[in-house]
Amino acid sequence: AFEVYAETSDVTVQVGPNESIAAALKAAGVRVQMSCEEGVCGTCICDVSEGTPDHRDHFLTDEEKEDNDQIALCCSRAKSSRLVVDI
Ligand code: FES
């Protein structure tokens, strides 16, 4: 599990092994825009200001993934114990 702090909403969630960041945020009342929920469309892309994403999407380019400043909330996870996202 890892922790995600949704900066704009001022909400912190714990993301378990069997749920997505988006699902954990939604359960905490954060509105997450989503469409494909499979890492393809880019609708759920969000800026990351702290922590290291574990990219699982097929939307961001390799270069964008290396920058580690955006994340697909529907499917990607965290390599760090905490992520801060702009939502
Ligand atoms: Fe399509 Fe996340 S909802 S990439």
Side-chain angles (χ1 to χ4, degrees):
F2 54 94
E3 184 177 284
V4 174
Y5 176 54
E7 223 168 4
T8 310
S9 311
D10 194 21
V11 167
T12 300
V13 294
Q14 302 294 328
V15 182
N18 299 317
E19 65 179 345
S20 66
I21 296 174
L25 288 173
K26 274 187 167 177
V30 179
R31 290 179 58 157
V32 183
Q33 298 289 334
M34 284 201 289
S35 178
C36 72
E37 300 188 31
E38 293 180 344
V40 176
C41 71
T43 305
C44 67
I45 296 288
C46 180
D47 286 345
V48 174
S49 57
E50 265 182 65
T52 309
D54 179 3
H55 297 289
R56 307 277 177 95
D57 66 280
H58 306 285
F59 178 80
L60 295 174
T61 63
D62 288 346
E63 215 169 51
E64 286 170 330
K65 286 178 180 171
E66 279 170 23
D67 286 344
N68 283 331
D69 60 0
Q70 298 179 78
I71 188 168
L73 296 174
C74 69
C75 58
S76 292
R77 307 190 64 79
K79 286 181 179 164
S80 51
S81 58
R82 184 168 190 262
L83 284 181
V84 178
V85 298
D86 182 21
I87 189 170

